[in-house]
Structure formats: structure tokens, C-alpha cells
Amino acid sequence: MRRIVVGGLLSFALLSSSCKSDPALPETWEKRITGAKNTKEKLKQVEELRGSKFMAPAMVPMLEKRLGDEKKPEVKAAIARLLGEAKQPSSIDALQDAIDPAASDSESKNLNKEIALALGKIGDPKAVGALSKLLKTKDNYTVIAAIEALGDMKAKEAFEPLYAIATDDAIEPFITKKAIIALGDIGDPRAVPGVVRAMFKERKGISFYMESSFALYQFGPPAADALVPVVEGKDKELAEWAAKNNIKDVALLAKGVQVLGDLHDKRAEKTIVGYLNFKSDFDDIKLIMRMRAADALGRMRSKEAVKPLAALLDEVEANARKEYVWSLARIGGKDAVAKLVETAGKGPWGAREESMRGVAMLGEDPAVFDKFAAAEQKLFEAECKEDEEQTECKDVAGSVKKHQEKILSYKNRATAAAECKADATCWVKHLDAKDEGVRERAAYELGRSGNVAVIDELMKRLPEKNLDTRLAIIQGADWLIDDSKDAMAQARKSLPALEKQVQDERGKTEFVKVNEDLRRLLAKLRRG
């Protein structure tokens, strides 16, 4: 009998011990962290909790207490990271109290950075005060984390310190870029004057154009209000500032035109059409200004630009002709088809091909491409006689064959156009064509159609892999949204999918250029 009692007591003791070390209980982990022999062991326990299935909201009060009680900044940083991942607003006070405003060693600076990251992940407006406090620290990584968090939270209360950072020429350029991005995300139009100037600045050889132009797009109409006078040469104050800072007039015009094109703001349309005939003693400046004007007018779908653009198609510089052709393709400038057919036989292959692509995007006669292919051998042989050093001229017959294959591939777009004409239902069918060029033309045709019913068809095809086709789909959806509140309302239903796509494709180099337009579409939908 005595053995039974002893055995029972032993079993009870083991059970009691097991209960006290239950890993589902906060006190178990508190005991493990406080009982650790050194900093390394404490960090190990925090990381084990982080990686375990037991990390739950019930653990948060214990971690908040430990954040206040722990002495080593390394341990506090690990706990702050864990609280950020838990995303509980109750942690804001504990995180704010743990900030070390006088941090000078790397461990304390890292603690402040982790606190900024944690507050950003929690994303509660109550964290704005603490994050604004972190903007004043002397560690760049902490400041960047705080800036990004405030931008993600769209914290208008932080406008003034962020604007001060964005417009301070003594600040590190990378931090300036982050502040401009945050101001764009916040969307407070008070930032427009400073961001407009930032668009033209360079410091230490670093330009802020990409960040500033996108932020201005996010501001929307207030940005256009500021840029129309710039493009029309009526902003005297900005012109004086530019002169003092050695910024050329043409830079003001070219960049201003580009953003107005992105915004589809037509108030300066007549002036921009005039820039298609921009004059300069330097050919490169002349062409850059004309190309930027063409791009902007194409995005605006400017009917007024069709005739002057067609007049520029004799240009033999391939990149310039490409810009003029694609502007016409966006506008839907079918009146220029005859000139495109004519210039398909003028200039070097690179320029001639662009005119043929223009015919493919605007014409409805497939047979014309057979004529282009038949004429190619004579044209290319003559080109090689003038410039034998071209790589392709080392094998004229082989190059001609490749050119002819390319020319005949354009035939599919004209065939689809001959079938569909202006029938949106027909063009929707071609959004799934095997030929990416046919898909591309279908997207532009639908975007110009004004048919609200096709917006869903374009939105669901935004993950398109071919870059030219994706750009056409983005542009087509953008136009429909511009033209109709109903299209905007319908497209906004795709916001979660679009946000996920932008996030998933962030950093993928193959989409970097075209996804600037995708991000603009996302910004427009968020503005509503």
C-alpha cells in the first residue's frame, strides 16, 4: 500500500511539472527567456518561440513586459520583431517606450530599426507619433524604416517632417527618395511644389525623377494644375529656380510633358502638339523633346496630333520613328496609314520595320505585307551598299529572310482588324490569340472602344507575360476607366488581385519598365 501512495505522489509531481512547462503557456516562455544564462541563449529562446506553433496573441502581454524589462538591446530587438509579426495594437506603447533616442552603438540602432519595422507592420494610426519620433534618430536604416512605415500607413499627420526630409538638400539622396515615395503614398497635395522641383533635381549624380513623377501621378489633378503652367512656359518662379540650379528649360518641358501624358490631362494639348516640331541646335535634344511629346499625346489619345505625327514619319532614326508610330497606334490614327505604308519603304531596316508595325496596328489590309516582304530584298541590298559595316550585312540573304518572316508575322494583326472592324465582342475573342501582336492590337482597340462591358476582360489579363501586350492591356483599361465611372467601379473590384500582382512581381526585372504603368493603374484605382 505504501508503494502505491509513493507511486501516486510521483505521478502527480511529474504531471504538475509537465503542466508548469506547457509550451502553450506564456509563463513557460517567460521562464525560459529570463532563465537563460546569457544573451545568446535568450535570443535562442525568443527565436524558438517565433518559429513555433505556440506563438499566438496570448503571448503578446508577456512579450510586451519582457521588452520593457530586458536590458540588452539585442534581445529587445528580437522581441520587437516578434511583436511586429504579432500585429497587436496593444504593443504600440511598449514599443514606443523601448525606443532609444540617443542610440549610438550598432545594437541600439538596430533596436530602433526593429521597432520602426514592428510599428509599420502593426499599422495602427496610434503608431504615427512613435514613428515620427524615429525620423529624428541619426541612424539612416531606422529613418528609412520609419519613412516606409508612415507611407504605407498613409499617415497625413506625418506630412510636415516627411516633406522637410524630401526637400532638404543636405539629406542622403536615398533617404530623399524614400521620403518622396512616402509623400506620394500619403497623397497630400501640399507636397506638390516640393515634389515638382525634386523631379528636376540631381544630387551626387542621382536623379529623383522616377520617384517624383510617380508621386505626382498619385496626387492626380493637383499635380496637373502645377505642371500645365510649367509645360506652357508660364511658371516664372520655377524657371528662375531652374536657372539658379543649372537646370535646362528643355528638362522642365520634357519631364512636365511626360507626367501630363501619364495623367491624360489635355489642358496643355495644343502646346504639346507644338513640341512635335521642337527646334534645337542639338539633334539629340530635338529628338528627345519630340519623342516625349509624342508619347504624351499617344497616352492622351490626342486626335489633334495625328496629322503632325504623320508628318514626322520620314524620320530615319529608328527610335524616334518608333515613338511616333506608337503614338499613332495608341491614338488610333488610321488617317496616317497611307503615310505609314509609304515610309515602310524609306530609311534603314530599323526605321522601316517601325512603319510596318504601325500599319499592323492601324491597317486592315493583310495583302500589303506581302508587298512589303517582296520589296525587302532590294531595299536591304541597297542599304548594305551604303553601309557595309552593319552586322546584318555580313549575310544579306540570311538577314533578308529573317526580315521577311518578321514582316509576314505582322499580317495577323491586319487580318484580325479586317474581321473585327469596330466590333468589341470580336476583339475580346482576340485577347486570347496565339499571336501576341494580335492580343496587343485587340487591347488598344478595346481601350478606345468606350465599351464598359469589356473592362473585366482587360483587368483579368493584366498578368500577360509579353511586355508590349501587357502595356496595351494596361493602357486600354486605363482609358476605359478615364471614360466611364461605371468602368472605374467595375475595375475597382479587381483591386485585391492587382495589389497582389504588383506585390508578387516587385523586383522581377523582366517587368520593371512596363510595371511602372501597372503601378499607375493601381494608384488610379485606389484614388477612385
Side-chain angles (χ1 to χ4, degrees):
M1 186 69 180
R2 188 174 179 84
R3 284 185 187 173
I4 294 172
V5 172
V6 171
L9 289 171
L10 181 59
S11 297
F12 178 78
L14 289 171
L15 180 61
S16 177
S17 173
S18 174
C19 287
K20 287 182 180 178
S21 61
D22 182 353
L25 297 175
E27 49 264 37
T28 299
W29 290 97
E30 182 171 32
K31 191 171 183 179
R32 289 184 183 182
I33 295 168
T34 57
K37 296 178 182 179
N38 51 45
T39 299
K40 185 177 180 180
E41 284 299 313
K42 286 189 176 189
L43 289 171
K44 181 181 177 182
Q45 292 301 322
V46 174
E47 286 303 311
E48 283 187 7
L49 173 57
R50 184 184 182 206
S52 76
K53 64 180 181 180
F54 303 108
M55 182 56 211
M59 296 288 174
V60 169
M62 177 273 293
L63 290 168
E64 291 169 356
K65 183 175 183 301
R66 293 269 27 96
L67 181 63
D69 291 345
E70 288 294 335
K71 303 300 181 188
K72 292 289 186 179
E74 302 97 309
V75 180
K76 293 169 85 73
I79 294 171
R81 187 182 308 120
L82 199 47
L83 287 172
E85 292 168 357
K87 299 182 180 180
Q88 298 297 307
S90 64
S91 302
I92 292 172
D93 288 341
L95 287 163
Q96 179 168 337
D97 291 343
I99 293 172
D100 183 354
S104 56
D105 58 275
S106 59
E107 292 81 6
S108 298
K109 289 178 180 178
N110 185 59
L111 166 60
N112 285 341
K113 183 196 77 173
E114 291 297 341
I115 290 172
L117 292 170
L119 291 168
K121 287 176 181 175
I122 293 170
D124 191 283
K126 291 188 294 184
V128 171
L131 287 164
S132 298
K133 182 179 178 182
L134 287 165
L135 291 175
K136 299 175 183 178
T137 60
K138 295 182 179 180
D139 176 57
N140 286 347
Y141 295 106
T142 302
V143 172
I144 289 167
I147 289 172
E148 290 180 337
L150 290 165
D152 290 343
M153 292 165 62
K154 298 178 172 43
K156 286 199 174 185
E157 306 92 320
F159 168 79
E160 291 183 1
L162 287 171
Y163 189 70
I165 291 171
T167 54
D168 185 347
D169 289 343
I171 296 284
E172 280 296 316
F174 189 70
I175 295 177
T176 299
K177 285 174 177 277
K178 291 293 184 182
I180 292 168
I181 292 169
L183 288 169
D185 290 338
I186 290 168
D188 190 323
R190 289 180 294 168
V192 168
V195 176
V196 165
R197 292 191 177 196
M199 187 165 64
F200 307 112
K201 284 182 182 179
E202 281 193 16
R203 276 196 279 121
K204 299 181 179 179
I206 297 171
S207 168
F208 306 100
Y209 173 71
M210 292 297 291
E211 296 79 14
S212 299
S213 61
F214 188 77
L216 290 168
Y217 182 85
Q218 289 173 297
F219 296 136
D225 292 342
L227 288 171
V228 167
V230 175
V231 168
E232 293 181 338
K234 296 176 181 177
D235 191 332
K236 305 286 191 209
E237 185 180 342
L238 185 70
E240 290 174 6
W241 169 84
K244 289 178 183 176
N245 288 274
N246 297 315
I247 296 167
K248 303 296 183 185
D249 290 347
V250 70
L252 300 182
L253 299 178
K255 292 179 180 180
V257 161
Q258 190 79 58
V259 177
L260 286 181
D262 291 338
L263 288 164
H264 306 167
D265 191 296
K266 287 189 172 184
R267 283 177 287 173
E269 180 182 13
K270 184 177 180 180
T271 299
I272 299 172
V273 169
Y275 290 146
L276 290 174
N277 197 35
F278 189 81
K279 307 291 186 189
S280 173
D281 293 336
F282 303 96
D283 285 343
D284 56 344
I285 292 176
K286 177 188 74 176
L287 287 179
I288 286 171
M289 191 62 216
R290 292 181 178 187
M291 288 163 69
R292 295 287 62 77
D295 180 72
L297 293 162
R299 290 174 185 268
M300 292 177 187
R301 293 170 290 171
S302 170
K303 297 294 184 184
E304 299 299 317
V306 173
K307 188 175 180 179
L309 280 167
L312 293 173
L313 291 173
D314 289 309
E315 172 61 58
V316 296
E317 206 285 318
N319 287 326
R321 191 185 291 189
K322 177 179 180 179
E323 204 73 71
Y324 308 148
V325 168
W326 283 114
S327 180
L328 287 165
R330 287 183 178 126
I331 295 167
K334 295 183 181 181
D335 291 346
V337 170
K339 186 65 176 180
L340 287 164
V341 171
E342 176 195 328
T343 54
K346 292 183 177 179
W349 162 248
R352 289 188 287 109
E353 186 196 2
E354 295 303 335
S355 289
M356 293 179 208
R357 290 176 71 179
V359 176
M361 293 301 291
L362 294 168
E364 297 177 2
D365 179 11
V368 74
F369 294 95
D370 295 317
K371 296 176 183 177
F372 291 155
E376 181 57 23
Q377 181 155 346
K378 184 177 179 181
L379 287 168
F380 193 65
E381 285 177 351
E383 183 181 336
C384 286
K385 283 181 181 178
E386 291 185 11
D387 185 3
E388 296 178 356
E389 298 302 314
Q390 287 187 65
T391 302
E392 283 196 309
C393 292
K394 294 176 182 177
D395 179 10
V396 173
S399 295
V400 168
K401 184 179 178 182
K402 288 179 183 176
H403 293 179
Q404 289 172 329
E405 288 172 354
K406 191 69 178 288
I407 292 167
L408 293 174
S409 74
Y410 291 140
K411 200 172 181 178
N412 295 332
R413 305 182 208 188
T415 301
E419 174 196 354
C420 293
K421 305 292 184 183
D423 184 353
T425 303
C426 178
W427 281 116
V428 167
K429 178 180 68 175
H430 285 299
L431 285 174
D432 295 320
K434 183 178 179 181
D435 186 319
E436 64 265 16
V438 173
R439 300 198 301 273
E440 180 183 6
R441 177 158 184 180
Y444 281 127
E445 294 285 352
L446 290 168
R448 291 191 298 264
S449 72
N451 190 328
V452 176
V454 303
I455 187 65
D456 287 340
E457 298 295 339
L458 291 171
M459 294 299 294
K460 70 184 181 183
R461 288 171 173 82
L462 286 172
E464 163 73 46
K465 300 302 181 188
N466 179 271
L467 299 187
D468 287 336
T469 307
R470 179 184 286 204
L471 182 59
I473 292 168
I474 295 167
Q475 186 70 85
D478 197 8
W479 288 335
L480 287 172
I481 290 165
D482 263 0
D483 292 343
S484 166
K485 291 181 180 179
D486 290 338
M488 168 65 83
Q490 190 62 28
R492 279 177 60 82
K493 295 177 182 178
S494 300
L495 259 176
L498 181 53
E499 286 171 338
K500 184 178 187 304
Q501 181 182 341
V502 170
Q503 183 61 38
D504 290 347
E505 292 180 351
R506 186 170 290 173
K508 291 187 177 179
T509 55
E510 65 268 34
F511 298 125
V512 166
K513 187 174 181 180
V514 69
N515 273 10
E516 281 300 301
D517 285 278
L518 190 67
R519 289 175 61 225
R520 276 190 278 269
L521 178 62
L522 176 58
K524 177 174 283 188
L525 289 173
R526 283 173 170 167
R527 274 203 314 263

